[in-house]
Amino acid sequence: EVQLVESGGGLVQPGRSLRLSCVASGFTFDEQGMHWVRQLPGKGLEWVAGITYNGGRREYADSVKGRFTISRDNGKESLYLQMNSLRAEDTALYYCAKDWSNWNFFDSWGQGTRVIVSS
Amino acid sequence: EIVMTQSPLSLPVTPGEPASISCRSSQSLLHSNGFNYLHWYLQKPGQSPQLLIYLGSNRASGVPDRFSGSGSGTDFTLKISRVEAEDVGVYYCMQSRQTPPFTFGPGTIVDI
C-alpha cells in the first residue's frame, strides 16, 4: 500500500523559511516522479512543484518560482520542499503527491501538512 | 497556461439518481498518442484528493464502475450512474497535457 507522510508544516512569520518533508513507502520511490500540491484555505487545488524520478527535471508554479526548491533523496525515499521568503498567500495545506509514472498525473496523495504564514 | 473550467460549481444530488459534471479546457488535451490528458479527482470531506479517472476515461484502481469519464479535446464529462451517499465531496478535473503547470478546475461541490 502506498503511503505518503508529510511533515514540517507550522506557523512562520512572513519572510522566513520552512522545509517540508514527505516520507514515501509502498512503491519503488526512485522510479516515480513526485509533486507538491497545495490547497489554500477553503479553496481549490494548486500544483506547486514537481520533480522527476532522478531529480533531473524540476518545475515550479510561477507563484513560487525563485522562492521554493523541490528536492528528493531516493536513498531515504523522501521528498522535500524548501520554502523561502514566505508570504501570507503561501498559507495552505501542502500535499505530497506521487506521479503515476514520471510526469503524468497524481495517483496517490498524502494527508497534507499545514503551513500558516502570519506575523 | 491551460485554464480549466467546470460546471456546475454546485450539484445537489439524490441517492440512486444519475449525476454529471462537465469540464472544459482552454486548449485541446488530446495528445498525438491518442490519449486525452484529463483526469478526475474526488476530495471527500476532511480527506485528501483521490484519483477517480485518468487519461479521460480510465477508472483508477478500486473506483466503482458507477463512475465513468468521457470526452475528448476540450470537453469532458464525469458521470455517476447512480449516486451513493459516499460520493459527496468536491470533484476536480486536472490537465497534464501542457505542463508546467498542471492545472485544476475550480471544483464541483456534490452534496445530497
Side-chain angles (χ1 to χ4, degrees):
Chain A
E1 179 191 0
V2 172
Q3 285 202 343
L4 300 168
V5 180
E6 302 95 334
S7 62
L11 173 63
V12 61
Q13 293 180 328
R16 303 298 290 266
S17 299
L18 209 58
R19 189 195 196 206
L20 306 184
S21 300
C22 171
V23 176
S25 61
F27 64 100
T28 306
F29 185 74
D30 60 8
E31 292 183 356
Q32 310 299 140
M34 297 292 295
H35 304 265
W36 288 99
V37 179
R38 68 186 180 184
Q39 187 162 33
L40 279 62
K43 300 292 185 180
L45 301 168
E46 179 189 22
W47 173 81
V48 173
I51 187 169
T52 50
Y53 71 103
N54 62 356
R57 178 185 182 187
R58 310 179 194 204
E59 302 281 4
Y60 301 90
D62 286 346
S63 57
V64 306
K65 200 173 293 183
R67 300 188 298 122
F68 289 12
T69 301
I70 189 172
S71 63
R72 63 190 297 160
D73 184 333
N74 286 345
K76 295 182 178 179
E77 297 186 309
S78 294
L79 176 73
Y80 306 102
L81 186 67
Q82 177 66 42
M83 305 187 294
N84 298 333
S85 303
L86 282 161
R87 305 168 179 168
E89 53 265 35
D90 296 319
T91 294
L93 183 62
Y94 285 75
Y95 293 106
C96 165
K98 169 186 167 293
D99 202 294
W100 181 65
S101 59
N102 199 28
W103 198 262
N104 211 315
F105 56 88
F106 321 136
D107 64 354
S108 295
W109 301 60
Q111 288 304 304
T113 186
R114 192 167 302 279
V115 174
I116 301 172
V117 184
S118 174
S119 54
Chain B
E1 172 175 326
I2 295 179
V3 177
M4 307 298 293
T5 57
Q6 291 180 229
S7 62
L9 297 183
S10 179
L11 179 62
V13 296
T14 302
E17 295 296 307
S20 177
I21 300 170
S22 173
C23 174
R24 289 188 172 178
S25 56
S26 60
Q27 300 174 42
S28 177
L29 304 185
L30 179 61
H31 193 280
S32 57
N33 61 14
F35 290 107
N36 284 283
Y37 283 71
L38 183 282
H39 322 288
W40 290 95
Y41 295 89
L42 165 60
Q43 186 172 29
K44 295 183 178 181
Q47 297 185 18
S48 54
Q50 61 185 84
L51 179 66
L52 287 178
I53 301 288
Y54 63 94
L55 297 174
S57 60
N58 299 279
R59 272 190 303 277
S61 175
V63 174
D65 60 8
R66 63 179 181 273
F67 290 94
S68 64
S70 63
S72 184
T74 61
D75 291 310
F76 300 88
T77 302
L78 175 71
K79 292 183 179 177
I80 310 174
S81 60
R82 292 175 305 279
V83 172
E84 296 191 5
E86 65 182 21
D87 299 337
V88 300
V90 184
Y91 290 77
Y92 296 94
C93 59
M94 184 195 84
Q95 70 83 23
S96 60
R97 175 64 181 88
Q98 192 176 102
T99 65
F102 296 82
T103 49
F104 293 88
T108 294
I109 301 171
V110 171
D111 200 3
I112 293 176

